[in-house]
Amino acid sequence: MKILVATSNRKKLRELMDILSPYGFELELPEETLEVEETGTTFLENAYLKARAYYQRYRLPTLAEDSGLVVPSLGGYPGIYSSRFHSIDFGGVEHGKDPDRANIKKLLRLMENVEDRRAYYYACVVLYIGDGGVFAEGRCEGAISREEKGSYGFGYDPVFIPEGYNKTMAELPPEEKNRISHRRRALTRLLEVLRWK
Amino acid sequence: MKILVATSNRKKLRELMDILSPYGFELELPEETLEVEETGTTFLENAYLKARAYYQRYRLPTLAEDSGLVVPSLGGYPGIYSSRFHSIDFGGVEHGKDPDRANIKKLLRLMENVEDRRAYYYACVVLYIGDGGVFAEGRCEGAISREEKGSYGFGYDPVFIPEGYNKTMAELPPEEKNRISHRRRALTRLLEVLRWK
């Protein structure tokens, strides 16, 4: 089964292949990256919009994902704005060359006096096959630390402490992160949904 | 396979049963109607929110649908606001005891000088099975008439002329409407997606 992956991120493709290849899925990157406006207000909607755009162009079943960090004490932010949190109109903007660092800086600043530090990573994956498809959700529960630690991973990993650990996600080697990640959980569930009758 | 239907509308349940029963699905209405806030900005999101709410309460695979009339020359309105179009802040509100009549009155008023009368009914169905599920979309293409005709159906049927007809949807007997309806198409596609591997 040939499946297109709606991403231009080769690291993400590698992660997806590791999980899906054993099940006979043959993943491919699109020849061309499409500019898809993520106008949705939720992860599900944005993953759907991306998958559908590539399907419409290439007429192949397409897998897309949208994910982010949800902090309930910040009303769910950064949420769908996770990757560009530093630049949006919520608690002031943060400048810097590296968006990941700027996002983290802003998050720690906003949470300086926040006691409830619970947070979770959330991923939604959509496999669109034309006029419909399959979707699945995955979470990784945890908390926001007081300072950055670790150099693995990306995004908010240096300040995200997964439940049951006393290290940040960025201190965990990739194999360990991939075992507990929201993305892994969403994909595992996607496979279960596909087997469901 | 027992499936809960996230609706309190017995007419809708009947329509869904007609289509799904031959495939071994046993549909049930929930014991209690839940107040689900439809905070989504799309049909997909609203159907998902409804299905998930019932799933969380009853722990049964749940089918929900969200549907409406889309008029491109009105920027997509009434869209997700179809059932309460008369009362929303778009082109003035319309009063009346019967929401269907008030909605139609407002639509005809807004389109009085509109040449491009193309419109389509759209339905999105979601079958949520916990942390994921299956979804499908269906359309019925057509145009908005200049005046109301017919007494079958509901919603915008008296002013919706399906493609290939010279009658409004409300002039078609239920069997005929159900053969071409957006809901039927979405459900048919849902069954195909379920069979897809």
Side-chain angles (χ1 to χ4, degrees):
Chain A
M1 170 62 62
K2 233 188 208 174
I3 286 182
L4 206 61
V5 181
T7 182
S8 53
N9 184 332
R10 294 203 161 258
K11 274 173 92 173
K12 224 179 241 183
L13 179 73
R14 167 57 44 204
E15 200 178 317
L16 296 171
M17 282 173 96
D18 287 348
I19 301 172
L20 294 177
S21 298
Y23 297 91
F25 292 101
E26 203 182 307
L27 304 190
E28 300 203 332
L29 281 182
E31 266 181 43
E32 213 181 310
T33 305
L34 304 181
E35 284 300 323
V36 183
E37 254 203 288
E38 299 187 15
T39 55
T41 54
T42 61
F43 295 107
L44 171 62
E45 191 63 31
N46 284 331
Y48 160 79
L49 288 174
K50 281 186 271 188
R52 194 186 58 174
Y54 281 91
Y55 177 87
Q56 285 172 342
R57 170 70 161 271
Y58 294 102
R59 295 286 151 187
L60 277 175
T62 302
L63 182 70
E65 71 103 41
D66 199 41
S67 55
L69 178 74
V70 179
V71 182
S73 58
L74 295 181
Y77 278 82
I80 58 167
Y81 307 105
S82 290
S83 61
R84 52 192 172 95
F85 188 46
H86 65 284
S87 67
I88 68 163
D89 183 21
F90 179 88
V93 297
E94 200 74 54
H95 298 288
K97 273 183 203 152
D98 179 346
D100 278 0
R101 309 292 308 224
N103 288 333
I104 287 176
K105 210 174 148 196
K106 177 165 172 177
L107 180 68
L108 290 182
R109 177 167 59 73
L110 290 181
M111 293 188 73
E112 214 175 319
N113 299 309
V114 174
E115 276 305 302
D116 178 5
R117 306 192 71 83
R118 281 173 302 170
Y120 59 86
Y121 268 130
Y122 176 92
C124 183
V125 290
V126 167
L127 177 58
Y128 191 79
I129 65 170
D131 292 332
V134 178
F135 68 98
E137 310 163 272
R139 278 186 185 214
C140 178
E141 302 281 348
I144 302 304
S145 64
R146 294 273 172 189
E147 52 184 30
E148 297 178 52
K149 267 186 193 163
S151 53
Y152 291 120
F154 56 94
Y156 297 89
D157 290 353
V159 292
F160 183 81
I161 303 171
E163 210 167 72
Y165 288 79
N166 49 21
K167 287 175 175 179
T168 70
M169 195 75 121
E171 293 179 287
L172 303 180
E175 317 81 71
E176 179 110 22
K177 174 186 170 180
N178 287 346
R179 215 172 45 76
I180 62 166
S181 84
H182 48 307
R183 202 169 294 119
R184 154 77 65 154
R185 284 174 181 158
L187 283 170
T188 306
R189 186 63 184 149
L190 190 77
L191 289 167
E192 289 168 0
V193 175
L194 276 171
R195 284 194 296 261
W196 187 86
K197 283 280 148 177
Chain B
M1 171 63 61
K2 235 187 206 175
I3 286 182
L4 207 61
V5 181
T7 182
S8 54
N9 184 332
R10 294 200 163 262
K11 271 174 94 175
K12 226 179 238 183
L13 179 73
R14 168 55 47 204
E15 201 177 316
L16 297 170
M17 282 173 96
D18 286 347
I19 301 172
L20 294 177
S21 298
Y23 297 91
F25 292 102
E26 202 182 308
L27 303 190
E28 299 202 332
L29 281 182
E31 266 181 42
E32 214 180 309
T33 306
L34 304 181
E35 283 301 324
V36 183
E37 252 202 289
E38 299 187 16
T39 55
T41 54
T42 62
F43 295 108
L44 171 62
E45 192 62 33
N46 284 332
Y48 161 79
L49 288 173
K50 281 186 271 188
R52 193 185 61 174
Y54 281 92
Y55 177 87
Q56 285 173 342
R57 171 69 162 272
Y58 294 103
R59 296 285 150 186
L60 278 175
T62 303
L63 182 70
E65 71 102 40
D66 199 40
S67 54
L69 178 74
V70 179
V71 182
S73 58
L74 294 181
Y77 279 82
I80 57 167
Y81 307 104
S82 290
S83 60
R84 53 194 172 92
F85 188 46
H86 65 284
S87 66
I88 68 162
D89 184 20
F90 179 87
V93 299
E94 201 73 56
H95 298 287
K97 273 182 201 153
D98 179 346
D100 278 0
R101 309 293 308 223
N103 288 334
I104 287 176
K105 209 174 149 196
K106 178 165 173 177
L107 180 68
L108 290 182
R109 178 168 57 73
L110 291 181
M111 294 189 71
E112 213 174 322
N113 300 310
V114 174
E115 276 304 303
D116 178 4
R117 306 193 70 84
R118 280 173 303 169
Y120 58 87
Y121 268 131
Y122 177 92
C124 182
V125 291
V126 168
L127 177 58
Y128 191 79
I129 65 170
D131 292 331
V134 178
F135 69 98
E137 311 164 90
R139 277 185 185 215
C140 179
E141 302 282 348
I144 303 303
S145 63
R146 294 272 172 191
E147 52 184 30
E148 298 179 51
K149 267 188 196 164
S151 53
Y152 290 120
F154 57 94
Y156 296 89
D157 289 352
V159 291
F160 183 80
I161 302 171
E163 210 167 72
Y165 288 79
N166 50 19
K167 288 175 175 179
T168 70
M169 195 76 120
E171 292 178 288
L172 302 180
E175 316 82 70
E176 180 110 22
K177 173 186 172 180
N178 288 346
R179 215 171 46 77
I180 62 166
S181 84
H182 48 309
R183 201 170 293 119
R184 153 77 64 154
R185 284 174 181 158
L187 283 169
T188 305
R189 186 64 184 147
L190 190 76
L191 289 167
E192 289 168 0
V193 175
L194 277 171
R195 283 193 296 259
W196 188 85
K197 284 278 148 179

